[in-house]
Amino acid sequence: MSDIELYLFEADKNKMEAQRVATQSAGRLEAKTLKLIDLITSLEPYINDKDDGSIRAKSVTYLADVLSSLPPRVLSGQERRLLCDFILGRIEGDAEGIGASARALIALEGLGKWDADTVQKVLRTFIDNTHPLRQFKLQTERYALVQLIDLLLAKYRDALRQLHESDHEFMTGFISYFEGEKDPRNLMIIFSLLQVPMTEWDIHACAQDLFDSVFNYFPITFKPPPDDPYGITAQDLKDRLRDCIAANSDFAPYAFPQLLDKLDSTSMNTKRDVLHTIQACVLGYEAKTINLYSVTLWDALKFEILNVQEEDLALESLKALGLIAAKFAETAEGPLNAYLRPVIKECNEHLEDAPTKQSEATGRILHALAVSGPAVADKISKGVLPVLFSLYNGSQSITKRRGLLDVFNHIVAAYVELDELQPNTNTEALQAYANDALEAMIRALVNAPKAEVSFRLASLKGLTQLVSTRNALSEKEGERAVDTITDMVLHEQFEGHGDIRAQAIKALTDVAHSIPLVVRDRSVPAFMVELLDNPSEGSVLAPVLEAFAQLSTERQIFDTIALRLKNKYGVARHQGAPQQYQRSLLLALLYAFTFGAPMREDGIIRSAYYTEYAEPLLTDIASRPAAEQDHSTLDIVGRIVNVLLRPQGVHFQSTVYNKNLQWLSSAGKDEMLAMALAPFTLQYYAGMKAEVADAEDIVSVLKAQAHLALHASSDPVGVSTVLRHLSLLVNKFINPKTMQATLEASGIEVGVLLSATASSQAIGAAFAVVKGLLIQGKSGALATRYLQALLDILASEGKDVARHFATLLAPDDILSKENHCLVSGLYKQKIFNQSVPFMIDAVRTADASIKPNYLIALSGILRWLPYSVIEPSLKSLIAPLLQTLDLNEPAEQEVKASALIIFESLLMHDPTIVAEHTASLVTRLLNSTAGPANKADVRAKALQCLALAPRQLKREAVVPYRRQVVKRLQACLDDTKRSVRTEAVKCRTAWLGLDEGNEDEE
Amino acid sequence: MEADKDNANPTIINPSDLPSRRRSAPTAKRPGIFDALAPAYPSLADPLSSPEASSDSASSSDEEREEIDEQEVYDLISTISDPEHPLSLGSLGVVKLDDILILPPTSPRSRISTVRVLITPTTSACSLTTVIGLGVKVRLVNALPPRFRVDVRIKEGTSRTADEVNKQLGDKERVAAAMENRSLVNVVNTMLATCE
């Protein structure tokens, strides 16, 4: 059998095999064991079969498959030309196998470039003989055709343009050729290939036909089938179609009227498409074309902004308006004036009855336009500001003035944005009114009644923006603005009137960014006057100090702020100012270094700060006896040292470490002093890298701290600090390999601590050690054994031990990666797996008297775990959690609250799990809403959970409880706490809402 | 398309000028920015002194009663949406704090207080006044404890149909009947959907 016979035999049964036959023929052609002429001759009887079109089609497919498998240079130029003619000749008489013919031609083109004649001939043959495309029912056939045409248009631009230029009829056929195509894959290509004539050819004569041929598809409403293998989305089609519509200015007379017509559509998606397309057209068409339609577009687009239907439509419309202005700003002034004239006229009209919905919209419109270019901003200012300020001065109404200021602020905001993009924007038009505005706003801030919050806020915002606009204000005017804001920050400390003080502080830091020197020279001294050296005990300087500290977020004045704070602290301390005040000054310094913008080198806070700020504080501490040490001051100093020390390199830290080693170790030997210094040493060691400290030193520190933990006084804060220190040492400094031995040597081996009659100090120490180990994750076996030991004592000890479990996972700012601690990525999961299943079992089997122990401990673990960790075990957790809600002792409120939080997440994420417990859950939640046995936060949380039930659970599951719940919630509406009542209202609304469904069914 | 609204371009009150509890609360009570610098977590020594517990004891007035006041009633109804505009009744000035009055029980033996709300329609010819009144009434009846009697009226001199509307809103039977009307219920529910 010849290859073609084999191929025809397999073609319908086994596509792969047929393909293989074709590849084999190609191989033989390449090896010259088969001549092209013989191959064609062998096709003859089949390709011309009179009776069976499908055999003819398959023969062409064979030819196409063979050609696709051929490597280049096997066929000579002449052979390729002959083949081309052969295929084209066939098409004229027979359309069977048209897709394969196209594929064959694509393959031939791939084997060697065509000349212009061939290209023209190919395209003409197809357009003349296969018009229209839709006559071919198979998508794959049409697909091959459009691929071929796409290829021609992509590679042979000139040849095809000549074809169009020499024959005016050609385009008509070409345009209508694709009419009626519906398949998205084909359309993607057609939209793309049509762009070549649209953008490169002179299509003025047939613009309307060409436009209509694509606009017929607008708006695209295509929805891809659920498991579409081609991955074409509606958005892909929209993007390509939009590019077509925007391709040629000649489309404008057809595009704009039709688009604006569709803007009246009731479908939001259509409107969205229209707006995107208009934007593309404005970008794509020439300025002189847009000029013809600019006012028409304004008249249509403004409605979307003046009467907002959907916020995003308003935003898109604003963008379109801005693009039009930007188009003209680049070119001539005439069109820009013509466009802006009606805009400014209408905006000025809207200003007259400000503040209204439309005056608010006006502000947005003016901003969108002005921001599109300095020339536009200039014209807007010249057109609007005179009217705005004459209205402002002509009115006594504060609300009106506020409305006008809002609009003014929008315009200034545009200048600020312009200036960021291209510095030295021309602000002349704004300058003309800057002084008027400044006076008006200062007057508003100084004189207007404090209750006029929005008016003053608008003025404050305007002032900040004016300062940020370069050149808008003179130096003197800038100073007045800064003085006014500073004065507000310093002296408006009385109650009420919204958040204007917070806003003023924010404004001052913003201003400091633009004119740092003015703030440094005027505001900082003003603050210093307020901050007395030695205030009397009762004076309230905290707000001033807080505001001052916040200025440190501006890098340019950070050093000034920090230095002034340090000096002020020095003076206050020297003069014996109240402790509270000294502490506040240190806190301000800590705030500056934590949240402010200190100078950095290579991303690390400069080490000089440590030397200048932390070291003197440290020296001061070292020189004082135990009796003079103040616990909370030490804590703050410790934190300052910590924040400045911890990012530094090993070398720097080592120097610091060795410098302080001596006095610290001698202080450690004095029990009184060591206890007093505990808050400082904790932070100090937390900042050190592990490798800086010497192992032996650390062991002696551990021993000292262990001794304090087990024997020192019962001051709870002090003990807690020492215990945190234990966790830190265990976690960071002790070598995991010798962990147990070191613990034994220090007297804090957990097994020993828990043996026999453990004191409460010993239990605390045990939990501290285990916490350090669990988070570290390096001593897995030891940690597991210790954790189990803690779990075991639950059976014998009281609830106090159970409560300790909440400390194991509680967040701790000491044990963090920033403090160079070892934090295992999976420690939460590990602790969960090692403790929770055990406790679930214990709850099930335990005696009623010790069951609460397990419930409390369990909740102590669960409350700190992210939902994702708990999720896999939810089913088994529900029973113990429900029992937790039954705990009714006042001390157990925390435990209850954490159980409620879990139920809340459960109802949000996995309501099906809780569904079968609906009855018990609803009852317990209702019980938890009753005061005074339950605290306010428990009551509120219970109501939040209960409110989720009707939304998250199946209707039929909750409807039976509706009457009961709605009735019992009436009592909650009268709860003593306002926050609880608010939740009760929400909850009751949710349950009342169930009613509506009921009526529908009846 | 705006023509069918009774008032297409109403005056809007700026959100920061609306009465709120926060706005009038003394600033001094709020936590300072330095407080966050030293966070307190349950300590190892004394797990009971967790932050929640301590903050509760700080505001030791846990069970001290906060009475329902005019501001609370305002907060309940100011977020209701206007049926014409996507705006709240508060920002349109339809309900005002000054127009809410809580009257204590008339006799020492009675427990029944009265909440009186006066509504100001955006225009004197607003045809939707009744619906707004109904929405306010429904919201308060559902959200206030039963010891309050809810009295919603149109503010004198602000609507041409005030007497008629007041009669409707004051009549229990008519309110109940109105809430049987499906389309009216739907309108009211849409208005209330924006309430928290």
Side-chain angles (χ1 to χ4, degrees):
Chain A
M1 274 207 282
S2 67
D3 283 355
I4 175 66
E5 284 168 333
L6 271 173
Y7 185 92
L8 289 175
F9 180 71
E10 297 287 357
D12 288 330
K13 292 186 295 187
N14 187 346
K15 285 255 153 58
M16 294 292 286
E17 180 58 23
Q19 181 64 44
R20 200 193 58 75
V21 173
T23 318
Q24 183 186 312
S25 310
R28 286 171 58 205
L29 276 176
E30 190 185 358
K32 309 255 194 256
T33 54
L34 175 68
K35 281 190 184 151
L36 183 63
I37 183 73
D38 296 335
L39 180 93
I40 302 293
T41 321
S42 75
L43 283 179
E44 203 177 339
Y46 309 102
I47 212 162
N48 292 329
D49 190 304
K50 284 207 178 60
D51 306 321
D52 194 342
S54 82
I55 290 194
R56 297 203 298 276
K58 275 177 244 164
S59 312
V60 186
T61 313
Y62 169 71
L63 183 58
D65 283 346
V66 172
L67 291 176
S68 312
S69 317
L70 271 185
R73 276 194 275 279
V74 173
L75 299 181
S76 70
Q78 178 158 18
E79 284 173 323
R80 280 186 273 121
R81 255 193 309 280
L82 279 171
L83 273 170
C84 193
D85 288 343
F86 171 70
I87 295 165
L88 291 177
R90 268 204 81 265
I91 292 173
E92 282 165 24
D94 179 16
E96 284 298 340
I98 192 71
S101 303
R103 282 206 296 118
L105 286 168
I106 292 174
L108 272 178
E109 199 279 340
L111 294 174
K113 235 170 144 11
W114 285 340
D115 57 21
D117 278 347
T118 315
V119 171
Q120 292 176 352
K121 192 169 155 202
V122 170
L123 187 56
R124 212 171 243 300
T125 310
F126 275 91
I127 301 288
D128 289 349
N129 294 294
T130 64
H131 189 286
L133 183 60
R134 64 170 180 273
Q135 66 182 288
F136 306 107
K137 298 288 174 258
L138 275 178
Q139 185 271 338
T140 42
E141 295 217 302
R142 300 198 306 276
Y143 187 66
L145 285 175
V146 295
Q147 270 188 315
L148 174 66
I149 299 176
D150 182 53
L151 172 84
L152 297 179
L153 279 164
K155 283 192 169 172
Y156 304 97
R157 302 263 172 108
D158 291 336
L160 292 178
R161 198 180 62 232
Q162 282 161 16
L163 183 64
H164 162 65
E165 281 161 4
S166 61
D167 176 2
H168 294 296
E169 290 306 305
F170 165 75
M171 207 55 196
T172 322
F174 181 74
I175 294 169
S176 54
Y177 183 70
F178 304 104
E179 218 167 68
E181 178 59 64
K182 289 204 175 65
D183 188 273
R185 284 162 288 174
N186 295 357
L187 279 176
M188 282 297 279
I189 301 180
I190 293 171
F191 287 155
S192 158
L193 70 86
L194 280 176
Q195 279 195 57
V196 174
M198 283 172 167
T199 45
E200 296 182 4
W201 301 358
D202 173 17
I203 43 103
H204 189 73
C206 53
Q208 180 164 16
D209 289 342
L210 193 49
F211 174 77
D212 286 343
S213 76
V214 292
F215 199 75
N216 283 335
Y217 295 98
F218 191 92
I220 300 246
T221 50
F222 164 69
K223 241 192 216 143
D227 37 312
D228 176 31
Y230 308 105
I232 296 174
T233 64
Q235 195 54 47
D236 297 333
L237 284 166
K238 284 178 184 179
D239 290 347
R240 292 229 170 142
L241 175 58
R242 192 167 61 226
D243 291 345
C244 285
I245 296 172
N248 193 312
S249 295
D250 284 335
F251 293 157
Y254 320 105
F256 285 133
Q258 297 201 52
L259 283 169
L260 292 183
D261 189 49
K262 290 214 179 345
L263 190 57
D264 288 338
S265 160
T266 47
S267 149
M268 293 302 140
N269 276 326
T270 303
K271 299 185 76 150
R272 216 160 275 145
D273 272 0
V274 168
L275 290 170
H276 287 142
T277 311
I278 288 179
Q279 291 169 2
C281 290
V282 171
L283 285 171
Y285 296 170
E286 291 166 20
K288 65 172 197 276
T289 310
I290 302 295
N291 181 27
L292 300 174
Y293 298 92
S294 65
V295 177
T296 318
L297 286 168
W298 153 250
D299 276 331
L301 292 171
K302 68 182 182 193
F303 283 109
E304 302 299 323
I305 307 157
L306 292 171
N307 292 298
V308 179
Q309 277 183 301
E310 297 268 339
E311 179 56 22
D312 75 309
L313 295 180
L315 290 174
E316 296 301 339
S317 304
L318 286 165
K319 190 173 164 203
L321 288 177
L323 288 173
I324 298 173
K327 192 91 189 173
F328 298 143
E330 300 158 6
T331 56
E333 196 168 332
L336 183 58
N337 283 335
Y339 171 54
L340 290 180
R341 203 174 301 123
V343 178
I344 291 174
K345 181 162 177 282
E346 177 155 359
C347 286
N348 283 340
E349 282 166 17
H350 289 312
L351 291 184
E352 281 176 23
D353 43 27
T356 56
K357 231 166 95 177
Q358 303 190 340
S359 78
E360 272 180 31
T362 298
R364 301 175 74 186
I365 293 170
L366 292 173
H367 175 262
L369 290 170
V371 87
S372 62
V376 189
D378 189 66
K379 286 193 194 306
I380 296 270
S381 300
K382 283 183 181 144
V384 174
L385 294 184
V387 176
L388 194 149
F389 280 99
S390 107
L391 284 170
Y392 188 95
N393 294 324
S395 165
Q396 290 304 316
S397 153
I398 283 185
T399 37
K400 176 155 194 169
R401 289 180 157 195
R402 193 264 301 164
L404 293 168
L405 271 188
D406 279 341
V407 177
F408 176 74
N409 286 347
H410 274 293
I411 299 177
V412 185
Y415 273 103
V416 176
E417 286 167 51
L418 281 174
D419 202 66
E420 272 166 23
L421 289 175
Q422 48 187 114
N424 295 323
T425 299
N426 171 19
T427 55
E428 215 172 284
L430 180 62
Q431 276 170 42
Y433 287 91
N435 190 43
D436 281 20
L438 181 77
E439 292 302 329
M441 294 191 283
I442 290 182
R443 229 176 306 133
L445 289 173
V446 176
N447 299 332
K450 303 281 182 269
E452 295 292 345
V453 179
S454 70
F455 182 45
R456 303 185 74 228
L457 279 176
S459 302
L460 187 62
K461 186 175 167 206
L463 218 50
T464 318
Q465 286 182 344
L466 270 181
V467 173
S468 317
T469 315
R470 231 163 299 173
N471 304 330
L473 295 179
S474 69
E475 196 177 321
K476 268 267 163 320
E477 288 169 333
E479 287 174 2
R480 289 195 57 207
V482 168
D483 287 349
T484 309
I485 302 176
T486 308
D487 198 57
M488 279 177 77
V489 173
L490 288 177
H491 299 120
E492 284 200 26
Q493 291 173 16
F494 35 75
E495 304 169 357
H497 307 308
D499 273 336
I500 198 147
R501 190 164 177 278
Q503 304 279 349
I505 295 172
K506 169 83 174 46
L508 196 55
T509 40
D510 287 351
V511 168
H513 185 68
S514 310
I515 42 174
L517 294 186
V518 178
V519 172
R520 195 191 66 195
D521 296 342
R522 300 187 76 89
S523 305
V524 171
F527 272 99
M528 284 296 121
V529 170
E530 295 294 317
L531 292 173
L532 305 175
D533 293 340
N534 185 3
S536 56
E537 198 68 57
S539 64
V540 191
L541 290 173
V544 179
L545 205 48
E546 284 185 9
F548 192 63
Q550 283 174 71
L551 288 182
S552 68
T553 49
E554 174 49 48
R555 193 181 46 77
Q556 298 167 89
I557 53 170
F558 177 89
D559 281 353
T560 311
I561 304 288
L563 187 65
R564 297 296 176 100
L565 282 171
K566 183 181 117 173
N567 291 344
K568 187 61 80 175
Y569 171 72
V571 175
R573 194 167 134 50
H574 181 72
Q575 300 196 1
Q579 279 296 322
Q580 181 57 40
Y581 184 58
Q582 292 189 33
R583 269 200 297 275
S584 299
L585 284 164
L586 285 174
L587 274 173
L589 207 52
L590 175 61
Y591 180 92
F593 282 117
T594 315
F595 299 108
M599 305 288 175
R600 287 164 191 276
E601 276 162 15
D602 303 329
I604 291 171
I605 193 165
R606 266 165 54 174
S607 59
Y609 287 121
Y610 178 86
T611 320
E612 286 162 33
Y613 289 87
E615 214 165 76
L617 293 171
L618 224 151
T619 321
D620 186 37
I621 290 176
S623 65
R624 290 198 229 179
E628 277 179 39
Q629 304 285 8
D630 172 65
H631 177 88
S632 62
T633 309
L634 281 170
D635 180 42
I636 304 164
V637 171
R639 284 169 194 274
I640 294 176
V641 170
N642 178 284
V643 79
L644 292 175
L645 186 61
R646 72 183 183 194
Q648 307 303 337
V650 174
H651 179 72
F652 187 90
Q653 286 204 348
S654 295
T655 320
V656 173
Y657 180 81
N658 290 323
K659 204 168 175 181
N660 293 306
L661 186 58
Q662 172 139 38
W663 78 267
L664 272 177
S665 54
S666 71
K669 294 193 181 94
D670 175 348
E671 194 175 307
M672 276 282 285
L673 189 57
M675 198 65 203
L677 285 175
F680 168 76
T681 43
L682 171 64
Q683 296 288 347
Y684 176 78
Y685 279 102
M688 287 289 176
K689 292 189 157 91
E691 59 265 40
V692 170
D694 180 70
E696 270 179 42
D697 295 347
I698 288 298
V699 172
S700 64
V701 173
L702 182 68
K703 280 181 182 157
Q705 294 292 331
H707 179 77
L708 289 178
L710 295 175
H711 302 103
S713 63
S714 55
D715 160 33
V717 189
V719 173
S720 138
T721 314
V722 171
L723 291 179
R724 290 176 84 191
H725 204 150
L726 278 187
S727 299
L728 172 75
L729 294 169
V730 167
N731 180 288
K732 182 160 75 173
F733 292 105
I734 309 294
N735 184 350
K737 285 180 193 138
T738 56
M739 183 63 74
Q740 194 170 359
T742 315
L743 291 177
E744 274 164 12
S746 312
I748 46 170
E749 202 278 331
V750 173
V752 179
L753 286 173
L754 295 181
S755 65
T757 50
S759 67
S760 71
Q761 281 131 323
I763 286 175
F767 272 91
V769 171
V770 176
K771 177 170 186 167
L773 285 175
L774 285 171
I775 293 179
Q776 178 197 57
K778 293 256 175 191
S779 324
L782 192 64
T784 309
R785 185 147 53 82
Y786 286 168
L787 180 59
Q788 190 56 48
L790 293 178
L791 288 169
D792 287 341
I793 58 169
L794 279 176
S796 52
E797 291 285 336
K799 287 181 186 165
D800 286 343
V801 175
R803 285 191 195 102
H804 269 291
F805 273 84
T807 64
L808 282 180
L809 280 171
D812 188 323
D813 57 344
I814 290 291
L815 293 176
S816 68
K817 287 203 165 133
E818 290 75 27
N819 279 335
H820 317 295
C821 287
L822 297 168
V823 181
S824 145
L826 288 170
Y827 78 95
K828 288 188 175 170
Q829 280 85 339
K830 244 188 197 163
I831 298 183
F832 180 87
N833 291 334
Q834 290 179 0
S835 62
V836 172
F838 174 85
M839 289 195 272
I840 293 175
D841 268 352
V843 169
R844 206 175 301 137
T845 53
D847 201 70
S849 63
I850 57 163
K851 193 188 264 184
N853 282 1
Y854 290 108
L855 291 175
I856 293 167
L858 180 62
S859 129
I861 296 286
L862 292 179
R863 65 188 290 194
W864 305 112
L865 289 171
Y867 188 69
S868 55
V869 174
I870 307 181
E871 211 169 6
S873 318
L874 284 173
K875 262 200 152 72
S876 48
L877 277 171
I878 289 191
L881 285 172
L882 282 170
Q883 296 182 43
T884 309
L885 292 186
D886 291 335
L887 294 175
N888 262 332
E889 277 179 49
E892 260 60 279
Q893 286 290 306
E894 293 275 317
V895 179
K896 234 167 150 169
S898 84
L900 285 170
I901 290 170
I902 297 175
F903 274 116
E904 190 186 25
S905 327
L906 195 55
L907 281 164
M908 296 270 250
H909 305 293
D910 300 285
T912 42
I913 295 182
V914 83
E916 56 180 298
H917 302 278
T918 309
S920 22
L921 182 61
V922 168
T923 318
R924 284 180 174 79
L925 288 176
L926 278 174
N927 289 339
S928 305
T929 62
N934 293 294
K935 281 195 180 174
D937 58 338
V938 169
R939 302 201 298 268
K941 196 41 93 183
L943 285 165
Q944 282 170 3
C945 291
L946 198 55
L948 286 170
R951 268 175 239 147
Q952 298 293 95
L953 298 175
K954 287 214 181 79
R955 224 182 89 79
E956 54 271 28
V958 281
V959 162
Y961 306 100
R962 180 181 174 272
R963 186 180 294 271
Q964 181 200 1
V965 173
V966 168
K967 190 152 185 289
R968 290 214 22 206
L969 286 181
Q970 276 195 341
C972 301
L973 292 176
D974 216 358
D975 195 279
T976 52
K977 285 289 158 193
R978 195 165 285 129
S979 55
V980 180
R981 291 199 292 267
T982 313
E983 294 303 334
V985 170
K986 285 184 200 164
C987 182
R988 196 154 182 269
T989 310
W991 281 86
L992 281 171
L994 283 174
D995 203 27
E996 288 142 33
N998 242 349
E999 279 169 18
D1000 284 341
E1001 280 164 23
E1002 279 159 15
Chain B
M1 79 190 171
E2 291 296 313
D4 54 350
K5 291 189 180 173
D6 286 331
N7 183 4
N9 187 22
T11 306
I12 302 162
I13 303 173
N14 188 292
S16 55
D17 289 338
L18 294 176
S20 75
R21 199 171 296 284
R22 186 139 185 271
R23 185 168 180 254
S24 50
T27 31
K29 261 193 182 170
R30 291 183 217 155
I33 55 162
F34 296 154
D35 297 350
L37 288 171
Y41 295 107
S43 78
L44 286 159
D46 186 8
L48 269 183
S49 71
S50 65
E52 293 99 299
S54 60
S55 69
D56 271 348
S57 57
S59 60
S60 60
S61 51
D62 188 44
E63 298 313 324
E64 190 180 294
R65 190 169 175 81
E66 294 166 343
E67 285 298 337
I68 296 178
D69 59 8
E70 282 83 359
Q71 177 73 51
E72 187 163 337
V73 174
Y74 178 84
D75 289 342
L76 286 172
I77 55 177
S78 66
T79 50
I80 300 175
S81 303
D82 183 89
E84 274 190 347
H85 304 278
L87 293 164
S88 70
L89 294 185
S91 66
L92 287 168
V94 174
V95 295
K96 300 191 184 96
L97 184 57
D98 293 343
D99 289 338
I100 299 171
L101 191 63
I102 294 182
L103 304 164
T106 41
S107 73
R109 272 175 300 162
S110 160
R111 285 188 67 243
I112 303 297
S113 310
T114 301
V115 175
R116 174 171 298 157
V117 179
L118 300 181
I119 292 176
T120 315
T122 53
T123 65
S124 63
C126 186
S127 57
L128 288 164
T129 310
T130 326
V131 183
I132 296 178
L134 192 60
V136 171
K137 178 129 189 172
V138 169
R139 170 73 174 163
L140 288 182
V141 168
N142 285 340
L144 287 175
R147 67 189 171 87
F148 283 93
R149 204 175 71 83
V150 177
D151 182 11
V152 177
R153 298 171 190 224
I154 307 304
K155 195 170 181 179
E156 224 166 285
T158 60
S159 173
R160 278 183 238 144
T161 51
D163 289 346
E164 176 63 19
V165 176
N166 286 341
K167 219 183 237 171
Q168 283 187 337
L169 291 176
D171 188 337
K172 251 191 192 168
E173 306 285 314
R174 286 168 88 167
V175 170
M179 292 313 285
E180 301 279 307
N181 179 329
R182 179 69 54 81
S183 61
L184 207 50
V185 170
N186 283 341
V187 175
V188 169
N189 283 335
T190 333
M191 287 166 63
L192 298 188
T194 49
C195 291
E196 273 281 280

